[in-house]
Amino acid sequence: MTKEGDGLKIIEQFLRGKINDTLCEDTIVANDNFVAIIDGVTSKSDFSYQRKTTGKWASTIVAQVLDESPEETTLPEIISRVNQQFTDFYDDVAFTDDIVSKGLQAVGVIYSKHFNELWMIGDCQAYVNGKVLFTPKKSDEILSQMRSLVLTTNFQTTDAKPADYMTGEDPSRTEILPWILKATNFANEDGTDFGYSIFNGTPIPESLINVVKLDDEPQEIGLASDGYPQIQSTLKDSEATLADVIQNDPLCYQQFPSTKGLREGNKSFDDRSYIRFSTGE
């Protein structure tokens, strides 16, 4: 799809669920005022409402707020509206899991045409002027290395092979999952090195948000979720980088350490989304 208006042009975009597109928890926004990638955090429970997971609901709500917000809407206003929508969701839906660790959560990278800025909340990616912009989550980096240690040790001390963990239980994921849930205690907490920004219904400290002021000259910008190992300047190149990892490190513990790997029958280790656009003629 190509969308043009007031100098904003969508060049290419792509969304693909790790299982299928219906279950994909990523959402792409492309309207007259905002361009964004919203990544619903992988659900950590069996909760489903209207056949949507917590991650799907979270990304859908954030995207809806962006679609309904006037061009001059500031980021604090968007966060406030998202938080209110999350509160309304919990008021209307019987949610019995722990909200902090298993509730609605999403990250995103948002381009505001009015302010000519990128707003990066969480670990989505951007490609601007030949540079990759990415704010990794410290706990995920540590737990990815822990998962790599578990897998490497298992392969050295047992007869297990990578294919065994792609079809059956992945003991490395089982090992780190409790810590993934515990790390949610640092969500939107700026008094610790483990703090990270996320849409989860609570205020987000400015210190945890990466605001990127862009040049006034027309330029091309790429945005992507962390379903890509590293965003590249085009969708084709981003897909090629992902294909290389899937081919050579499907469990995602050597070439690209991650908190989860590819499961047999899935299209990738995570949902992925990408959009590239230009800000002027």
Side-chain angles (χ1 to χ4, degrees):
M1 182 186 91
T2 299
K3 177 182 176 65
E4 298 183 56
D6 299 327
L8 185 64
K9 177 181 178 181
I10 306 302
I11 301 169
E12 57 181 351
Q13 60 178 306
F14 180 77
L15 182 147
R16 179 59 48 84
K18 62 179 179 287
I19 300 174
N20 60 55
D21 294 350
T22 300
L23 297 176
C24 182
E25 294 172 317
D26 286 7
T27 302
I28 297 176
V29 176
N31 59 47
D32 292 338
N33 303 320
F34 301 99
V35 178
I37 294 290
I38 308 299
D39 180 359
V41 174
T42 301
S43 299
K44 305 300 189 300
S45 72
D46 295 327
F47 172 85
S48 178
Y49 176 66
Q50 296 180 350
R51 299 183 177 181
K52 295 180 182 179
T53 63
T54 52
K56 184 70 171 181
W57 272 110
S59 69
T60 300
I61 289 172
V62 176
Q64 181 179 354
V65 168
L66 291 173
D67 280 333
E68 295 175 350
S69 295
E71 64 176 355
E72 69 276 7
T73 307
T74 64
L75 180 55
E77 290 172 330
I78 288 172
I79 294 170
S80 177
R81 292 173 187 179
V82 168
N83 288 351
Q84 184 59 57
Q85 291 291 322
F86 279 18
T87 298
D88 293 344
F89 178 89
Y90 292 125
D91 287 342
D92 295 338
V93 177
F95 189 82
T96 57
D97 289 314
D98 176 55
I99 289 178
V100 174
S101 62
K102 299 182 180 180
L104 306 186
Q105 301 175 61
V107 296
V109 53
I110 304 166
Y111 169 72
S112 165
K113 177 187 161 189
H114 179 76
F115 294 103
N116 195 32
E117 292 178 343
L118 286 177
W119 302 331
M120 305 186 72
I121 294 176
D123 54 5
C124 285
Q125 310 175 73
Y127 190 94
V128 182
N129 293 330
K131 295 182 179 180
V132 173
L133 305 179
F134 175 60
T135 305
K137 186 176 170 183
K138 186 173 181 179
S139 60
D140 277 355
E141 291 183 310
I142 293 171
L143 293 175
S144 294
Q145 292 297 327
M146 179 62 189
R147 179 172 170 271
S148 177
L149 173 63
V150 172
L151 286 172
T152 302
T153 302
N154 283 358
F155 293 144
Q156 287 185 345
T157 59
T158 72
D159 294 331
K161 299 177 177 60
D164 298 334
Y165 297 154
M166 292 171 62
T167 56
E169 180 182 355
D170 179 352
S172 65
R173 178 71 177 181
T174 303
E175 186 80 21
I176 68 171
L177 184 56
W179 290 98
I180 291 176
L181 297 176
K182 290 177 182 179
T184 58
N185 288 301
F186 300 113
N188 297 329
E189 292 290 335
D190 61 355
T192 168
D193 290 342
F194 292 99
Y196 63 95
S197 58
I198 192 168
F199 291 106
N200 70 350
T202 65
I204 306 177
E206 288 185 18
S207 60
L208 296 179
I209 301 172
N210 186 12
V211 176
V212 182
K213 184 66 178 177
L214 300 170
D215 295 336
D216 292 332
E217 294 78 12
Q219 59 189 305
E220 287 188 5
I221 297 169
L223 309 178
S225 67
D226 68 348
Y228 288 100
Q230 181 171 298
I231 188 174
Q232 305 294 332
S233 60
T234 66
L235 173 60
K236 180 180 178 180
D237 289 345
S238 298
E239 284 285 307
T241 301
L242 172 62
D244 182 65
V245 169
I246 291 176
Q247 175 66 34
N248 297 305
D249 184 25
L251 276 185
C252 300
Y253 78 106
Q254 294 176 313
Q255 177 181 346
F256 177 64
S258 176
T259 57
K260 54 183 176 290
L262 180 68
R263 303 295 292 172
E264 186 178 54
N266 286 3
K267 297 177 173 64
S268 185
F269 60 88
D270 200 357
D271 301 327
R272 65 190 190 270
S273 49
Y274 178 99
I275 189 166
R276 180 162 62 101
F277 61 98
S278 62
T279 60
E281 300 297 338

